[in-house]
């Protein structure tokens, strides 16, 4: 049987001598190194800076949080923290740390390290900071003793625990020795690690590959007994066709984000497993509700009823499910809503109530350059709108340029294709996307403002009792749909393909569509 093999160019660039016989498992220093092929480069590995799926995938392997998400449906489980308590008023959260926890350099993970890490993120005001910055002040995080840390919130905030898996703990002793110009260690941590996670960073070769070395002495151990696992190489493969070719040829063991057609092709091979499971991620076409045209709710409704929603499912070969609410299916408290579907009679009725009853306007649709599925969705929208005498200008942009345009209501396009992954299963993680605090972020590119909705969101997030919160979130979902700030689309499947000798893959919808939890993965020849 042929197992994985690193291409000679990659091996040479990383100085690896591969001497195993042809057709045998390639090894490095007697250990298996798994090659994971992904399309997105890793811009940095600092858990305090802005993240995407590639950054988050790496930081989860290098660092630990107080708690971690696992399973399907995803649940928060103890990690660095063994247990925690909450005060009756919901303001004070106290966490007890595992006394055996160690950073990868051998230093103990202490309450002071937790305080330092959280305060660092809040002061940087980047990355995960947005999740808690309006309820948690840096000075209200305290170490009660070596293994006990206390958080005092500014106000009760029920989703607090659900966000903590994405707040990773750094080693202050290592970081502080590399601080320059009061940068909180940002420059050094961009390409170096100071964590307690199951892997260490062996090599950061920007634009080519990123080497994670398995730490056999990881304080928490591994969910498998095989000590032959040496590490993981996250290799940048920008085209899906190249990913497929690498998997089929044995140059990659696992690949992320194949097209549905390519997933079907590789899934026919007996030596390849494929996984296609629902994600929390939603795809929608955001409408700039403060723009010249889409500020008109009747026009928004007309566009929503004109669109052919089956396109969402067709372009993913059935690997998608239409949304039946503004919330995706795995979000707590999600209810079924009567959603718009293609109905040209209703579309014309709403258009007649708008400022442009006869159409005669041109809307701009912005999508990710090179992402064929989003281009196809735009073409479907173009065809639908022509029936209303509305033209569509399709503008492909790189993702950074899309984010830049989404930052300002005056620059944001009429329509923008956006994938959004909630970082929590708590309904506030979705509801807050329709709160003014999300304006300027890509998922807030609808720039929606509605006093009634704002009041409901702010009330629900302050309550601790779920029985009190649930009916409010049902109202929130209905209100968002009624306001029509986007074409509510679909939940895309998380699609992965990997060789049958790759073991331990665990799926959880809380992860981004191309994000893998590296921790449980190993190779078993």
């Amino acid at each position: 049987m042929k197992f994985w093999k690193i291409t000679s160019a990659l091996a040479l660039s990383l100085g690896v001598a591969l001497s195993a016989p042809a057709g045998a498992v390639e090894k490095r220093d007697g250990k298996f190194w798994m090659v994971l092929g992904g399309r997105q480069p890793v811009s940095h590995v600092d858990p305090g800076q802005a993240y995407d799926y590639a950054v988050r995938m790496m930081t989860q392997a290098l660092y630990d949080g107080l708690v971690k998400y696992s399973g399907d449906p995803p649940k928060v489980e103890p990690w660095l923290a063994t247990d925690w308590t909450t005060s009756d008023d919901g303001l004070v959260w106290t966490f007890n740390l595992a006394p055996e926890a160690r950073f990868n350099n051998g230093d103990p993970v202490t309450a002071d390290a937790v305080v330092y890490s959280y305060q660092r993120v809040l002061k940087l005001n980047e990355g995960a900071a947005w999740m808690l910055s309006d309820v948690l002040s840096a000075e209200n995080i305290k170490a009660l003793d070596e293994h006990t840390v206390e958080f005092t919130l500014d106000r009760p905030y029920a989703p607090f625990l659900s966000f903590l898996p994405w707040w990773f703990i750094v080693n202050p002793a290592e970081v502080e020795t590399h601080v320059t110009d009061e940068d909180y260690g940002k420059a050094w941590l961009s390409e170096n690690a100071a964590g307690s996670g199951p892997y260490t960073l062996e090599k950061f070769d920007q634009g080519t590959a990123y080497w994670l070395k398995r730490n056999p002495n990881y304080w928490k151990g591994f969910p498998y007994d095989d000590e032959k696992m040496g590490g993981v190489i996250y290799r940048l493969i920008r085209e899906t066709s190249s990913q497929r070719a690498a998997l089929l040829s044995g140059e990659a063991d696992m690949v992320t984000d194949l097209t549905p057609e390519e997933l079907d092709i590789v899934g026919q091979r007996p030596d390849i497993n494929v996984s296609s499971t629902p994600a929390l991620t939603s795809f929608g076409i955001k409408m700039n509700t403060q723009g010249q045209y889409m500020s008109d709710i009747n026009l928004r409704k007309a566009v929503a009823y004109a669109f052919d929603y089956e396109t969402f499912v067709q372009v993913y070969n059935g690997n998608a499910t239409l949304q039946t609410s503004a919330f995706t299916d795995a979000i707590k408290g999600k209810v079924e809503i009567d959603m718009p579907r293609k109905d040209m009679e209703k579309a014309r009725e709403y258009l007649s109530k708008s400022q442009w009853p006869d159409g005669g306007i041109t809307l701009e649709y912005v999508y990710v350059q090179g992402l064929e599925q989003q281009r196809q969705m735009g073409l479907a929208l173009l065809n639908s709108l022509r029936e209303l005498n509305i033209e569509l200008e399709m503008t492909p942009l790189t993702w950074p340029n899309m984010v830049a345009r989404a930052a300002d209501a005056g620059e944001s396009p009429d329509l923008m294709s956006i994938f959004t992954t909630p970082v929590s299963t708590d309904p506030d993680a979705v509801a807050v996307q329709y709160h003014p605090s999300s304006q300027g972020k890509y998922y807030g590119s609808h720039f929606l403002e509605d006093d009634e909705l704002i009041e409901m969101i702010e009330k629900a997030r302050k309550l601790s009792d779920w029985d009190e919160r649930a009916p409010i979130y049902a109202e929130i979902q209905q209100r968002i749909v009624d306001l029509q700030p986007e074409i509510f689309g679909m939940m895309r499947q998380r699609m992965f393909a990997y060789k049958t000798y790759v073991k331990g893959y665990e799926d959880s919808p809380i992860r981004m569509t191309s994000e893998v939890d590296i921790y449980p993965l190993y190779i078993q020849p």
Side-chain angles (χ1 to χ4, degrees):
M1 179 180 292
K2 181 179 178 182
F3 292 98
W4 64 276
K5 178 175 69 176
I6 303 174
T7 61
S8 57
L10 178 60
L12 288 173
S13 69
L14 298 174
V16 180
L18 300 178
S19 57
V25 176
E26 299 289 3
K27 293 183 179 180
R28 180 175 181 238
D29 300 329
K31 302 285 188 178
F32 300 143
W33 283 72
M34 192 184 89
V35 178
L36 172 61
R39 296 170 60 195
Q40 192 168 64
V42 180
S43 56
H44 64 85
V45 288
D46 181 354
Q49 296 184 46
Y51 61 87
D52 50 33
Y53 89 76
V55 170
R56 202 167 79 169
M57 185 164 62
M58 297 288 281
T59 51
Q60 285 177 84
L62 298 168
Y63 294 90
D64 292 318
L66 291 174
V67 291
K68 181 176 180 175
Y69 274 115
S70 66
D72 184 8
K75 295 180 180 179
V76 173
E77 64 177 55
W79 210 254
L80 283 173
T82 58
D83 57 85
W84 52 88
T85 58
T86 313
S87 62
D88 291 340
D89 60 7
L91 289 176
V92 181
W93 293 71
T94 307
F95 292 83
N96 298 309
L97 303 182
E100 70 274 18
R102 292 288 183 274
F103 287 108
N104 287 327
N105 72 343
D107 292 345
V109 179
T110 64
D112 285 335
V114 175
V115 173
Y116 177 90
S117 300
Y118 274 75
Q119 289 182 341
R120 177 178 183 269
V121 174
L122 290 170
K123 290 173 183 177
L124 283 172
N125 197 27
E126 299 177 28
W130 68 269
M131 302 177 194
L132 300 176
S133 58
D134 63 342
V135 297
L136 179 64
S137 301
E139 63 270 18
N140 290 332
I141 310 169
K142 298 178 181 178
L144 301 184
D145 57 42
E146 187 177 4
H147 295 113
T148 311
V149 62
E150 180 184 86
F151 299 83
T152 302
L153 306 185
D154 298 337
R155 55 180 171 77
Y157 185 55
F160 177 69
L161 183 68
S162 71
F163 287 112
L164 300 193
W166 312 122
W167 290 66
F168 299 110
I169 309 306
V170 301
N171 186 343
E174 285 191 279
V175 176
E176 282 298 304
T177 59
H178 296 94
V179 172
T180 58
D181 300 325
E182 299 182 352
D183 72 342
Y184 299 99
K186 282 180 62 176
W188 184 77
L189 280 176
S190 290
E191 297 186 5
N192 295 275
S196 63
Y199 284 81
T200 60
L201 185 63
E202 176 153 312
K203 189 171 180 67
F204 187 95
D205 192 357
Q206 184 58 276
T208 302
Y210 315 86
W211 289 64
L212 297 173
K213 185 176 182 180
R214 178 179 174 273
N215 177 11
N217 300 314
Y218 178 47
W219 69 273
K220 202 170 181 65
F222 288 84
Y224 53 87
D225 296 326
D226 192 346
E227 292 297 319
K228 295 179 181 178
M229 184 67 179
V232 173
I233 306 162
Y234 176 65
R235 177 185 167 196
L236 186 60
I237 308 176
R238 293 185 182 274
E239 302 295 331
T240 59
S241 58
S242 299
Q243 286 181 297
R244 182 187 67 186
L247 185 67
L248 294 177
S249 68
E251 295 175 0
D253 303 303
M254 185 178 204
V255 293
T256 70
D257 207 27
L258 291 178
T259 67
E261 296 83 1
E262 288 164 337
L263 193 75
D264 289 344
I265 291 170
V266 300
Q268 296 174 21
R269 290 276 297 262
D271 61 334
I272 293 176
N273 290 328
V274 296
S275 173
S276 179
T277 56
L280 278 179
T281 300
S282 64
F283 175 83
I285 300 177
K286 306 286 185 181
M287 302 177 180
N288 184 355
T289 63
Q290 294 186 29
Q292 178 183 0
Y293 297 119
M294 307 315 289
S295 57
D296 188 321
I297 189 170
N298 287 305
L299 180 61
R300 300 201 299 268
K301 292 284 188 181
V303 171
Y305 277 102
F307 188 71
D308 184 359
Y309 289 81
E310 288 306 311
T311 303
F312 285 128
V313 178
Q314 292 168 1
V315 298
Y316 280 101
N317 275 14
N319 290 287
T321 305
L322 292 180
Q323 285 184 246
T324 56
S325 168
F327 290 6
T328 48
D329 287 355
I331 294 294
K332 188 175 183 179
K334 183 255 184 184
V335 296
E336 298 283 323
I337 304 289
D338 184 17
M339 304 292 283
R341 295 291 181 255
K342 185 170 184 178
D343 185 331
M344 292 310 299
E345 184 176 343
K346 279 189 176 181
R348 293 187 182 92
E349 179 184 342
Y350 279 112
L351 185 65
S352 69
K353 299 175 184 177
S354 76
Q355 299 174 60
W356 302 275
D358 300 317
I361 60 176
T362 299
L363 304 177
E364 184 187 17
Y365 167 75
V366 167
Y367 64 100
V368 178
Q369 181 179 314
L371 197 55
E372 176 60 18
Q373 290 89 350
Q374 291 189 6
R375 189 185 74 85
Q376 291 179 29
M377 293 171 192
L379 292 174
L381 182 59
L382 183 150
N383 290 331
S384 296
L385 293 182
R386 280 182 173 167
E387 295 186 52
L388 300 178
N389 191 31
I390 295 174
E391 291 298 320
L392 190 71
E393 177 185 353
M394 294 178 56
T395 305
L397 292 177
T398 63
W399 178 243
N401 286 336
M402 285 180 64
V403 172
R405 287 198 61 183
D408 182 80
E411 296 294 327
S412 198
D414 304 299
L415 301 152
M416 182 178 285
S417 57
I418 296 291
F419 280 104
T420 305
T421 302
V423 296
S424 162
T425 55
D426 190 278
D428 186 69
V430 180
V432 74
Q433 296 172 26
Y434 302 92
H435 186 279
S437 62
S438 293
Q439 293 181 14
K441 301 177 176 68
Y442 70 89
Y443 50 80
S445 57
H446 42 63
F447 294 94
L448 182 66
E449 287 191 16
D450 178 77
D451 290 342
E452 180 181 338
L453 180 61
I454 293 169
E455 183 180 353
M456 288 191 290
I457 292 172
E458 293 182 347
K459 179 180 179 181
R461 62 187 353 200
K462 294 176 183 177
L463 297 172
S464 299
D465 189 330
W466 174 247
D467 290 338
E468 294 181 59
R469 298 179 75 206
I472 300 175
Y473 282 112
E475 293 178 30
I476 286 173
Q477 291 168 74
Q478 184 66 62
R479 183 65 180 168
I480 294 171
V481 172
D482 290 344
L483 291 168
Q484 201 73 63
E486 63 189 87
I487 296 175
F488 295 100
M490 50 86 182
M491 296 159 287
R492 211 200 83 176
Q493 302 280 93
R494 285 169 40 81
M495 295 180 288
F496 297 90
Y498 52 94
K499 291 299 185 78
T500 53
Y501 52 76
V502 173
K503 307 297 182 182
Y505 173 71
E506 296 177 357
D507 190 69
S508 181
I510 193 67
R511 305 195 181 280
M512 297 181 185
T513 50
S514 299
E515 177 189 351
V516 179
D517 184 6
I518 292 173
Y519 169 60
L521 295 178
Y522 66 104
I523 287 176
Q524 188 176 74

